[in-house]
Amino acid sequence: MSLQEKVMTEMKAAMKAKNTVALESLRAIKSAILLAQTDKGAGGQLSEEDEVKLVQKLVKQRKDSATIFTEQGRVDLAEPELAQVAVIEQFLPEQLTAEEIEKVVLQTIDTTGATGMKDMGKVMGMVSKELAGQADGKTISSIVKAKLSS
């Protein structure tokens, strides 16, 4: 079942349950899918990898907004954003723990022979590609920095 079909199924359930937060979140995903499909060069279809990137982007946008709202003392605006994150994250693959990410980072450092911060780009590229959709870029970056600095 494609992401679009899953979203439509969940939208119907959210409408029946009158769950406005879920409905709003699902409509955002549907809208992003339609925009991506109509982009030049997309050919009307999205690969599974593109779908994961799209959902990750939506989650990141909402988390960033919630952070900004919280910093400004607007918890009333941050809460709906975080509620949407919870709904949208259901469409992402299982996220890895920090320990699992660390194992992959250490393996990549060993494989590439990276010795310091000058090799961070090479390590980040390989780890990000391997963990696409399973880990947040910020988390990967902080672990890679910590391992290359020590």
Side-chain angles (χ1 to χ4, degrees):
M1 185 185 283
S2 73
L3 177 63
Q4 192 167 10
E5 292 167 342
K6 289 178 190 172
V7 169
M8 292 304 294
T9 304
E10 291 294 321
M11 276 181 71
K12 289 175 189 172
M15 284 180 193
K16 288 178 183 174
K18 297 188 186 324
N19 185 343
T20 56
V21 173
L23 195 55
E24 190 176 328
S25 305
L26 295 165
R27 284 183 175 147
I29 296 172
K30 181 182 174 193
S31 173
I33 291 170
L34 291 174
L35 283 172
Q37 286 176 336
T38 56
D39 274 351
K40 291 181 182 173
Q45 288 297 329
L46 293 176
S47 68
E48 197 171 318
E49 184 179 313
D50 291 335
E51 290 175 344
V52 169
K53 285 181 183 177
L54 187 134
V55 174
Q56 280 181 318
K57 180 180 175 185
L58 293 173
V59 168
K60 184 180 181 330
Q61 287 173 343
R62 277 151 186 78
K63 283 183 177 179
D64 290 347
S65 295
T67 302
I68 291 169
F69 290 143
T70 304
E71 287 171 358
Q72 295 175 350
R74 296 297 308 266
V75 178
D76 58 317
L77 296 175
E79 287 174 357
E81 295 291 329
L82 293 173
Q84 284 191 20
V85 166
V87 173
I88 296 170
E89 281 182 331
Q90 296 172 8
F91 297 96
L92 284 174
E94 189 70 33
Q95 299 295 295
L96 297 176
T97 64
E99 292 80 27
E100 293 169 322
I101 297 169
E102 193 172 319
K103 284 180 189 174
V104 174
V105 169
L106 290 172
Q107 288 173 344
T108 305
I109 290 172
D110 288 344
T111 305
T112 59
T115 55
M117 290 303 289
K118 67 183 186 313
D119 297 319
M120 183 165 174
K122 182 173 28 171
V123 174
M124 274 297 297
M126 292 177 72
V127 173
S128 295
K129 196 172 196 175
E130 188 175 336
L131 300 180
Q134 297 178 316
D136 174 42
K138 260 186 204 177
T139 308
I140 295 172
S141 175
S142 64
I143 292 173
V144 170
K145 274 184 190 172
K147 295 301 170 190
L148 290 177
S149 297
S150 56

